[in-house]
Amino acid sequence: MNVALAPEYSARVRRAEPLSRHTSWHVGGPAEVFFNPRDVADLAAFLRALPAGTPIHWIGLGSNLLVRDGGLPGVVISTHGTLDTLARLNQTTVRAEAGIPGTLGGALAMNAGAFGGETWRHVASVEIIDRGGHTRRRAASEYQIAYREVVAPAPEEWFIAAELAFEQRPGAHADEVRSLLAQRKASQPIGEWSCGSVFTNPPGDHAARLIETAGLKGFRIGDASVSRKHANFIINHGQASAHDLESLIGHVRETVARVHGVALHPEVRIVGEP
Ligand SMILES: Cc1cc2nc3c(=O)[nH]c(=O)nc-3n(C[C@H](O)[C@H](O)[C@H](O)COP(=O)(O)OP(=O)(O)OC[C@H]3O[C@@H](n4cnc5c(N)ncnc54)[C@H](O)[C@@H]3O)c2cc1C
């Protein structure tokens, strides 16, 4: 399609921006229009000025996204490095805007979690913005939350901030965080190009165990392979295309279904044109 923009935005957006620059797998075709808002007011004005019906995609750090080689028509809004205010409201509550590395928006959209913890267990409320540029607060109770799944009460709303509540715990919290980070470093191929875990864990089992025992560690298509360190990670060794990665995801699913009779479901979001 051909997105027509108001003159004040034409100079500020990037057209045909390679999304391989914005994803942790370092693959992905071009975004027709790529916009990085300065703040929420700037974002709201941009949304209001967009022609009706323009497809809108959101990207945070791109650490859970497989963008196909044909890229994304319409507009990609990137919150990375822009919406990043963090305020402490009281002893146990912080208000954070989407944009904290990871990013908070992506963590909210995915209900990201690790070592038994989950993002939404700490969400008191969120602030969202809609296609018309209107912002509002929603209570956590308005969302249906499950393992790596968040169902919003309305379509086409995106997270711009959240109030997160934590329990106050005395003692060696920093040591606990250091130990969890060390555990992660020992078990995951951190530093290589990946999107973290590719598949969600099926009930009562681990995707990594199923993939490893199906004999798939190290299996390679093009420059993409199943990690030898953690079988639920797929690595781009440098030259893989999104097509290589998606083919490998398909091969892993088929093999695990044949060997174990279990259907694996991608955790990673696959978007864009082939
Ligand atoms: C090395 C590595 C380790 C990882 N380990 C873990 C882990 O332990 N646990 C875990 O859960 N994940 C893990 N991940 C996956 C990933 O980091 C998380 O899913 C993260 O929350 C994604 O955030 P993001 O900003 O990168 O989102 P993106 O990948 O940019 O986007 C993910 C989805 O969220 C949507 N989205 C992004 N921002 C918004 C917004 N503001 N409003 C609405 N929707 C939005 C996007 O449209 C997309 O559908 C890992 C990834 C890597 C690379």
Side-chain angles (χ1 to χ4, degrees):
M1 64 184 301
N2 194 1
V3 179
L5 292 172
E8 65 265 38
Y9 293 113
S10 290
R12 285 188 50 208
V13 301
R14 281 177 255 167
R15 287 195 181 256
E17 171 72 3
L19 288 169
S20 51
R21 292 183 187 157
H22 304 277
T23 59
S24 59
W25 250 332
H26 296 254
V27 300
E32 185 180 351
V33 169
F34 185 88
F35 180 66
N36 215 196
R38 295 183 182 125
D39 52 29
V40 175
D42 188 36
L43 171 60
F46 177 78
L47 286 169
R48 276 196 295 273
L50 266 189
T54 308
I56 301 174
H57 308 271
W58 278 61
I59 184 168
L61 206 60
S63 64
N64 208 38
L65 264 190
L66 177 56
V67 181
R68 294 194 177 104
D69 300 309
L72 285 167
V75 168
V76 171
I77 292 172
S78 161
T79 58
H80 183 209
T82 45
L83 308 173
D84 55 4
T85 312
L86 181 66
R88 188 166 186 159
L89 301 181
N90 58 44
Q91 275 299 87
T92 54
T93 314
V94 295
R95 179 186 180 282
E97 285 190 351
I100 290 195
T103 61
L104 183 68
L108 290 167
M110 299 300 309
N111 191 19
F115 305 115
E118 276 184 351
T119 305
W120 276 81
R121 222 169 279 165
H122 301 284
V123 175
S125 65
V126 293
E127 286 163 54
I128 57 94
I129 191 162
D130 64 18
R131 179 178 268 279
H134 308 107
T135 61
R136 63 174 286 192
R137 182 184 296 261
R138 284 194 183 278
S141 57
E142 294 180 66
Y143 293 79
Q144 289 172 43
I145 305 300
Y147 164 61
R148 301 291 179 274
E149 193 181 315
V150 178
V151 180
E156 299 218 297
E157 289 185 352
W158 300 278
F159 300 110
I160 49 172
E163 247 181 62
L164 303 170
F166 299 94
E167 302 138 35
Q168 207 170 12
R169 271 200 288 144
H173 186 62
D175 287 346
E176 213 176 297
V177 171
R178 263 194 294 275
S179 136
L180 290 176
L181 288 174
Q183 208 174 314
R184 173 186 288 261
K185 204 171 165 196
S187 63
Q188 298 180 358
I190 305 297
E192 295 189 76
W193 290 356
S194 82
C195 74
S197 292
V198 173
F199 299 99
T200 53
N201 288 320
D205 210 333
H206 286 97
R209 188 195 74 77
L210 295 166
I211 298 166
E212 182 171 350
T213 53
L216 286 165
K217 266 191 169 178
F219 188 89
R220 191 167 182 130
I221 293 182
D223 222 9
S225 79
V226 175
S227 166
R228 291 186 186 279
K229 192 165 182 181
H230 191 305
N232 199 14
F233 279 54
I234 288 180
I235 307 299
N236 173 6
H237 296 277
Q239 302 300 323
S241 61
H243 184 257
D244 293 336
L245 291 163
E246 198 171 356
S247 303
L248 186 49
I249 289 171
H251 179 78
V252 170
R253 288 190 80 182
E254 282 161 26
T255 308
V256 167
R258 183 165 40 77
V259 174
H260 296 295
V262 176
L264 289 180
H265 300 287
E267 174 178 325
V268 58
R269 302 273 179 94
I270 302 174
V271 295
E273 306 285 320

